[in-house]
Amino acid sequence: MNRMNHSHRVMLVLVLVAVLGVEISGCKSKDEGNGAPPQAQVIQVADMNLLTIDPKDAAKFPLTEATQIESVAELTTTGAVFPDISREVPVISLANGRVVDIKARLGDNVKKGQLLFKVQSPDVTSAFNAYLKAANDEQLAKRAFERADDLLKHGAVSQAQFEQAEDAEKNARADLTAAEEQLQTLGVDKTHSSSVVNVYAPIGGVIVSQNVTNAAAAGVSLSGSATAFTIADLSSVWIICDVYENDISKLQLGQDAKIKINAFPDRSLTGRVSDIGPVLDPSLRTAKVRIEVANPGFLKLGMFATATFTSKSKEIHAVVSAEAVLHLHDRDWVFVPVDGNQFKRTEVHAGKMLDGSRQEILSGIQPGQQLVGNALLLETAGNQ
């Protein structure tokens, strides 16, 4: 009897285990096949800019209050030196031909009327021959007119013959004038016959472009470059700057700008805004701003420059001691108290240095706000 009861108990246990195994296996298969993603694990990371110190050491980092200053708003941007296009003059040879001699080179300073190059031109030969023929025809027509005038006074010719001689003399004189002007246009002296034309500088300045060499073709036709040289008067130049779209409203035509040249950091110049570009760069969202600057003599084309624009309106900015600002990783930071022994490192935009080892803060904190007086000391303590 006991043995039968024991056997029944064993059989019952085995059946229960089998049933439970089937249920567990079914549930597992159901969970794995529903496609639900595994539960995400959230890892809490502490604020790297929050420093916590021992409450006993809080007194070692006294607080200071940011004061305020009223100053004009400034905008600083970069640019480069360009020539004033209204002061650029091309040097053109109106005579087609071959360049036989060049007296100037790219980058040379030239004076007005200085010989730049010579051109040997068949156009000059043709123009001079036309001038000689016109001069001979004019002399012949003049003598014929004088004879007709004398004969008319003695009744030897009719009025019609006299008028015909007069008209021929006027036409010959007109042809001679046209031939002389043609020589003058080509730059040829009518008293010196030569096939070589001298080309002179129309203005004084610097040669900023050269498109001709010895033995090259010159002139206004397709046989050569129409512009042999380009001379720029650099007594006044342009500073072209890129200004972002959000800052354009801070500028206006006629506004003054302080110019600093990278090559001469100890020299400052003053320019005037003469144009604000009407079209923005679609990729950079910037506008070209043109500043006219008088060249004291050391400005060269292509030099990098920094332009600072000063607004007519004033703004209120915070002022702190220089020790309260931490310069780290090319950024400026201050420590603002959060709790009795906690301080938050806050990024600010520092402005110019003021008297008394004070620094202007353009953004990041407000006047009257509390902050740590010695930022470097607290940063050092936090890293230990």
Side-chain angles (χ1 to χ4, degrees):
M1 184 70 177
N2 291 334
R3 289 181 179 177
M4 287 182 71
N5 291 336
H6 179 71
S7 298
H8 288 158
R9 291 192 185 107
V10 172
M11 290 295 291
L12 182 58
V13 170
L14 292 176
V15 171
L16 291 174
V17 170
V19 173
L20 290 174
V22 172
E23 290 179 356
I24 293 172
S25 177
C27 292
K28 183 177 181 182
S29 299
K30 184 178 181 181
D31 291 338
E32 290 179 350
N34 60 6
Q39 186 176 1
Q41 295 183 357
V42 179
I43 301 176
Q44 299 292 338
V45 178
D47 188 352
M48 300 299 294
N49 289 323
L50 189 63
L51 296 181
T52 302
I53 63 173
D54 192 328
K56 299 179 181 179
D57 297 329
K60 297 180 180 180
F61 309 101
L63 302 180
T64 184
E65 182 178 309
T67 59
Q68 69 178 31
I69 185 175
E70 188 179 37
S71 61
V72 293
E74 291 185 347
L75 171 64
T76 301
T77 183
T78 58
V81 179
F82 288 85
D84 184 344
I85 60 174
S86 64
R87 296 174 179 268
E88 285 186 335
V89 178
V91 179
I92 299 175
S93 172
L94 297 180
N96 296 320
R98 185 172 61 91
V99 178
V100 294
D101 192 12
I102 296 179
K103 299 295 185 180
R105 295 293 186 272
L106 180 66
D108 288 354
N109 282 280
V110 296
K111 298 180 180 180
K112 182 178 180 180
Q114 179 177 334
L115 177 62
L116 299 182
F117 63 99
K118 298 181 178 182
V119 179
Q120 188 176 33
S121 173
D123 294 345
V124 176
T125 302
S126 300
F128 197 80
N129 290 337
Y131 164 71
L132 293 178
K133 291 180 181 179
N136 293 334
D137 292 343
E138 195 276 335
Q139 291 180 1
L140 180 61
K142 184 178 181 180
R143 288 195 296 267
F145 170 71
E146 291 176 349
R147 286 195 299 270
D149 182 53
D150 183 63
L151 292 174
L152 179 63
K153 293 178 180 179
H154 294 82
V157 293
S158 63
Q159 182 68 28
Q161 291 176 323
F162 170 77
E163 292 176 354
Q164 184 177 5
E166 183 181 21
D167 181 68
E169 197 276 335
K170 290 181 179 180
N171 290 338
R173 193 188 313 153
D175 292 340
L176 178 59
T177 302
E180 290 177 345
E181 291 179 351
Q182 179 66 17
L183 289 178
Q184 186 177 2
T185 300
L186 295 175
V188 179
D189 186 358
K190 65 180 182 181
T191 60
H192 296 84
S193 175
S194 175
S195 62
V196 177
V197 179
N198 295 332
V199 181
Y200 302 94
I203 64 169
V206 178
I207 297 178
V208 296
S209 175
Q210 179 178 348
N211 300 317
V212 66
T213 59
N214 279 325
V220 295
S221 71
L222 296 179
S223 60
S225 172
T227 303
F229 292 99
T230 299
I231 300 177
D233 178 7
L234 300 183
S235 60
S236 178
V237 295
W238 288 351
I239 306 293
I240 305 295
C241 300
D242 291 317
V243 177
Y244 285 102
E245 180 179 5
N246 296 339
D247 296 325
I248 294 178
S249 60
K250 301 177 183 178
L251 304 179
Q252 57 184 354
L253 294 177
Q255 182 177 355
D256 290 338
K258 295 181 180 179
I259 307 298
K260 285 285 188 179
I261 304 299
N262 293 8
F264 301 93
D266 57 332
R267 301 185 182 184
S268 61
L269 303 172
T270 301
R272 182 181 60 86
V273 177
S274 60
D275 181 70
I276 300 175
V279 180
L280 296 183
D281 187 306
S283 58
L284 300 178
R285 307 305 301 171
T286 58
K288 298 291 184 182
V289 176
R290 185 176 70 206
I291 307 170
E292 293 184 359
V293 183
N295 188 358
F298 61 84
L299 292 181
K300 300 182 182 299
L301 301 182
M303 279 185 167
F304 287 107
T306 301
T308 301
F309 306 92
T310 303
S311 175
K312 294 183 179 180
S313 60
K314 293 185 178 182
E315 298 179 352
I316 296 178
H317 295 149
V319 177
V320 300
S321 64
E323 293 181 345
V325 181
L326 175 66
H327 305 285
L328 184 64
H329 305 307
D330 294 330
R331 296 182 180 180
D332 298 316
W333 309 81
V334 296
F335 285 100
V336 177
V338 178
D339 200 353
N341 62 331
Q342 287 187 329
F343 302 91
K344 185 176 180 61
R345 185 167 57 187
T346 304
E347 185 178 359
V348 297
H349 182 196
K352 59 185 177 180
M353 292 295 298
L354 304 175
D355 296 337
S357 298
R358 299 179 305 156
Q359 186 159 20
E360 181 182 17
I361 304 298
L362 303 179
S363 62
I365 61 173
Q366 299 297 326
Q369 191 169 350
Q370 295 287 324
L371 65 153
V372 177
N374 194 323
L376 181 58
L377 183 61
L378 180 58
E379 176 70 15
T380 304
N383 293 331
Q384 292 178 353

